[in-house]
Amino acid sequence: MLEIQTIHPLKNKARILLTSVFGPYAQDDEYGSRRINPMELYHNQVTREQGAFSLRMFHNSFGLMLLKENIDAPCTLLDFPTLERFTQELAANHYDIIGISAIIPNLGKVKKMCSLIRAYQPHAQIVVGGHIANIPELEQRIEVDHICKGEGVAWFRRFLGQDVTAPVKHPHVSSGFGTRIVGVTLKDKPEDTAAMLIPSVGCPLGCNFCSTSALFGGKGNSINFFETGDELFQVMCEIEADLKVGAFFVMDENFLLNRTRTLRLLELMIANKKDWALFVFSSARVIKSYTMEQLIRLGISWVWMGLEGEDSRYAKLSGVDTHELVKELQSHGIRVLGSTIIGLEEHTPENIDAAIAHAVRHDTVFHQFMLYTPIPGTPLHEEHKRQGTLLSEDELPLADTHGQYRFNYRHPHIPQGKETEMLRRAFVRDFEANGPSLARLIRVMLTGWQRYRNHPDPCVRSRIDREVDPLRTTYAAALWGMRASYRGDKRMQQKLDVILKELYRTFGWKTRLYATLAGRYVAWAVKREERRLAQGWTYEPATRYEQNIQAQAISQRHKAADFMLSLPSQTRRPQSPLGPF
């Protein structure tokens, strides 16, 4: 076990590089990349079988961004580099500390990066963190000086001799970029994208399979960066002013669980006439503890909610009819992303179809399906370890332990290898029964607008109207194009027809005209996208390079020095006022 160095000898003078693992990601390679496990949350785990209708987008490495914002030392962020770009950075710039954030399947990439650091910058101290830190005896598998387990801001502050108790500074950044759907890439406009907001990490509910909960202390524990509604409101106001946004993607495992903070935020939103939209994660029982009026005025527009499975033994679902809850939420315009587990202990080849059908009947806007996977560090992993049912890495490499391919243990009822098809079956049946998620999104948004367009609170009206504005034009065209793509499928055409005609009825002839004209382009773009996908095209994120103020100052000094060295010697040498004498 590594001993954590309490304070780096250079303290806040140390030059720091923070980086994610290198790409490309959506390919099968020697370092652990897998085509089935791309660097896309939605296309990886939610809409992966929807073809050209799949939502494609990337999310920044928020943890690294939060670290950079709270480090007083010169700090550079390199997000989504290629191997060549990472090597170039090591060759071109000196660093005293290099931090790598990764998940467990990325072990091979981290190992390669550590070896490159040792070759190019042998004096740099290597810090590895993120979910990969839960791999047992990780320090024996990679060349590393420190392993940061859990929350990184306090760890790095302690390491650099900073005040660990200082308030957390929140980065001002959009939650996603590179959005692409129906074959069209949308322009990245900060004002049109929800801003990232991280109030807390960890979840006190501590489900036995949850690696995020385990990473931050497990059941009964969480870490609040902003304890009160007042603190959170102030941060949101600052982000709103800087990015000109009105929506926040709340990166908190169960945001509504902190009821005191949430209700205080609601009070401040009402008092200050804020019409924000919030996209949140919440458990079913927690969201039911709020009135619908509270949820609507709080701006809850999108909820990621664990459905897990029928007759689930998890307390967060106890006594909740999830079908009725989803129906109620979506009838008020709140888009639901449901999450279902394939391969629970009770699942068998005989009952898996019934379990999938139960999930599909929710008709959520989006639906995530994941294999029941014991990740190192979780109680579920410890349980399988005690039972001796875990597979060895020879039987299943860590690179394939990501929940979208194979079990990493021997399931009591499902034969090894059968789970892959079962998982795909769930995605396909949800898509076939409920149609493209984009169409479902349009349907639910329209329902919300029809219900609340005359709400007595002007902030509710303002938010709803702002959110549905694309329904009048671009979304209507997308729906027209999707409908045209379903020639030969009368059932799905009729399903989309109902929504399209309701858009026409609600927004009038301008929407009909726009949909008919622009929809033809969408239909063409869908066909083009389908051809590209059939040819094996994959989508990769662009590299992001940022420096904090301290690192920028060093770079400017280096540029000035390089400029002076580039001048002819007689030009850069100071001349005596007496000439040659």
Side-chain angles (χ1 to χ4, degrees):
M1 176 63 68
L2 290 174
E3 292 294 329
I4 296 178
Q5 181 176 343
T6 305
I7 299 178
H8 190 278
L10 293 178
K11 296 185 178 180
N12 64 2
K13 296 289 194 297
R15 299 182 186 183
I16 302 172
L17 173 66
L18 300 176
T19 181
S20 54
V21 297
F22 60 85
Y25 307 97
Q27 66 176 27
D28 297 325
D29 66 22
E30 61 184 299
Y31 301 113
S33 287
R34 293 293 185 264
R35 186 179 181 84
I36 200 172
N37 190 31
M39 188 61 77
E40 301 176 68
L41 175 60
Y42 286 95
H43 189 64
N44 184 325
Q45 303 175 7
V46 182
T47 58
R48 72 175 228 191
E49 296 294 335
Q50 295 190 22
F53 306 133
S54 180
L55 175 57
R56 316 295 298 267
M57 68 185 303
F58 305 105
H59 296 85
N60 299 298
S61 296
F62 301 135
L64 294 181
M65 290 182 161
L66 188 65
L67 286 178
K68 179 179 74 71
E69 200 71 17
N70 288 277
I71 286 175
D72 293 340
C75 184
T76 297
L77 171 65
L78 185 61
D79 208 4
F80 308 123
T82 61
L83 182 58
E84 293 75 17
R85 179 65 184 86
F86 176 69
T87 305
Q88 178 188 28
E89 187 66 23
L90 294 180
N93 296 296
H94 166 77
Y95 292 104
D96 303 297
I97 301 169
I98 300 178
I100 305 171
S101 177
I103 58 175
I104 289 173
N106 293 149
L107 176 64
K109 294 193 174 190
V110 173
K111 185 175 181 178
K112 175 65 175 178
M113 295 171 81
C114 289
S115 67
L116 286 171
I117 295 168
R118 290 292 190 239
Y120 282 88
Q121 304 209 24
H123 300 295
Q125 293 195 19
I126 302 174
V127 182
V128 172
H131 290 280
I132 195 172
N134 277 332
I135 294 179
E137 300 179 337
L138 177 62
E139 68 277 6
Q140 297 180 20
R141 307 186 65 167
I142 59 176
E143 297 183 79
V144 63
D145 299 295
H146 305 280
I147 296 174
C148 172
K149 289 191 174 183
E151 196 274 295
V153 172
W155 193 98
F156 262 94
R157 283 177 167 176
R158 189 177 301 111
F159 189 40
L160 299 173
Q162 295 179 209
D163 181 2
V164 177
T165 64
V168 170
K169 292 178 283 188
H170 200 289
H172 298 178
V173 63
S174 298
S175 59
F177 65 96
T179 303
R180 181 179 177 84
I181 195 166
V182 293
V184 179
T185 300
L186 307 182
K187 292 182 179 179
D188 288 324
K189 297 179 180 179
E191 65 273 15
D192 293 340
T193 306
M196 174 188 69
L197 182 68
I198 312 177
S200 311
V201 290
C203 176
L205 295 185
C207 294
N208 67 336
F209 60 83
C210 182
S211 58
T212 305
S213 175
L215 187 64
F216 298 107
K219 191 176 183 66
N221 294 290
S222 64
I223 299 168
N224 294 327
F225 294 132
F226 306 101
E227 293 282 353
T228 68
D230 295 81
E231 292 173 346
L232 193 57
F233 180 78
Q234 180 61 36
V235 168
M236 295 170 75
C237 287
E238 292 169 359
I239 296 174
E240 175 191 40
D242 186 19
L243 300 183
K244 306 296 186 289
V245 297
F248 297 86
F249 188 90
V250 186
M251 292 292 294
D252 187 310
E253 291 292 301
N254 207 337
F255 174 66
L256 299 175
L257 185 61
N258 190 330
R259 191 174 182 84
T260 301
R261 183 177 63 187
T262 301
L263 292 180
R264 177 56 180 159
L265 176 63
L266 174 59
E267 290 177 3
L268 292 168
M269 287 177 62
I270 293 172
N272 291 274
K273 297 180 172 55
K274 293 296 184 182
D275 61 352
W276 294 331
L278 304 185
F279 307 151
V280 305
F281 296 78
S282 178
S283 57
R285 287 187 66 187
V286 168
I287 203 164
K288 275 186 66 68
S289 69
Y290 290 82
T291 67
M292 188 56 66
E293 189 61 29
Q294 286 174 325
L295 295 174
I296 294 300
R297 186 57 190 89
L298 191 59
I300 303 299
S301 299
W302 182 98
V303 176
W304 188 314
M305 183 170 63
L307 304 174
E308 314 316 358
E310 190 173 9
D311 300 323
S312 169
R313 60 189 174 92
Y314 294 104
K316 64 184 181 181
L317 294 166
S318 178
V320 178
D321 184 333
T322 53
H323 289 107
E324 285 302 313
L325 177 58
V326 168
K327 182 178 178 180
E328 180 185 14
L329 291 171
Q330 295 195 155
S331 73
H332 288 266
I334 298 174
R335 286 81 78 191
V336 177
L337 192 161
S339 180
T340 292
I341 296 173
I342 300 297
L344 290 168
E345 291 94 336
E346 64 271 18
H347 286 168
T348 69
E350 292 73 32
N351 66 25
I352 193 65
D353 283 333
I356 292 172
H358 173 84
V360 170
R361 281 198 303 274
H362 286 91
D363 192 17
T364 53
V365 167
F366 295 102
H367 210 129
Q368 177 196 44
F369 293 95
M370 294 286 288
L371 293 177
Y372 198 41
T373 305
I375 300 297
T378 63
L380 184 62
H381 189 271
E382 287 302 308
E383 180 181 336
H384 279 279
K385 185 178 178 180
R386 288 194 302 271
Q387 294 172 354
T389 51
L390 293 172
L391 299 181
S392 70
E393 290 185 35
D394 290 333
E395 295 173 288
L396 189 77
L398 286 180
D400 294 315
T401 306
H402 47 69
Q404 287 294 316
Y405 176 49
R406 289 281 309 280
F407 291 138
N408 61 338
Y409 63 100
R410 288 181 288 278
H411 193 279
H413 308 295
I414 299 175
Q416 289 185 42
K418 298 295 183 182
E419 68 273 22
T420 305
E421 186 280 327
M422 290 177 178
L423 181 65
R424 183 176 182 275
R425 195 189 313 171
F427 282 111
V428 170
R429 289 190 179 173
D430 179 65
F431 181 42
E432 290 177 345
N434 300 318
S437 284
L438 179 56
R440 305 181 221 174
L441 178 79
I442 293 169
R443 182 196 73 220
V444 174
M445 291 177 68
L446 180 60
T447 299
W449 189 81
Q450 291 171 332
R451 186 163 197 155
Y452 287 104
R453 61 182 173 177
N454 296 318
H455 193 277
D457 189 323
C459 288
V460 173
R461 296 198 305 271
S462 172
R463 173 179 65 81
I464 294 292
D465 196 53
R466 183 179 69 244
E467 288 188 316
V468 305
D469 188 59
L471 296 185
R472 297 176 170 90
T473 53
T474 53
Y475 280 11
L479 191 59
W480 194 100
M482 285 189 287
R483 183 193 178 282
S485 301
Y486 272 102
R487 289 195 180 97
D489 188 337
K490 289 186 178 180
R491 185 188 70 84
M492 192 56 65
Q493 275 202 332
Q494 290 173 354
K495 191 179 185 73
L496 300 182
D497 244 348
V498 170
I499 308 172
L500 192 59
K501 288 177 180 178
E502 190 63 20
L503 283 178
Y504 295 161
R505 187 188 71 79
T506 304
F507 298 118
W509 68 269
K510 291 184 179 179
T511 294
R512 179 188 292 270
L513 180 62
Y514 191 98
T516 303
L517 296 177
R520 299 179 190 279
Y521 170 77
V522 172
W524 172 83
V526 167
K527 289 182 179 179
R528 179 187 61 181
E529 189 80 347
E530 288 173 344
R531 289 194 297 269
R532 296 176 73 178
L533 292 171
Q535 293 167 1
W537 176 80
T538 57
Y539 199 27
E540 297 288 346
T543 300
R544 187 183 187 112
Y545 186 81
E546 294 181 353
Q547 294 179 312
N548 66 6
I549 295 174
Q550 296 88 336
Q552 290 174 21
I554 292 175
S555 293
Q556 290 300 320
R557 289 199 297 270
H558 286 176
K559 287 179 181 179
D562 291 343
F563 174 74
M564 291 300 296
L565 289 172
S566 70
L567 296 175
S569 58
Q570 62 269 28
T571 303
R572 67 173 183 260
R573 183 183 298 118
Q575 296 293 313
S576 166
L578 299 178
F581 302 100

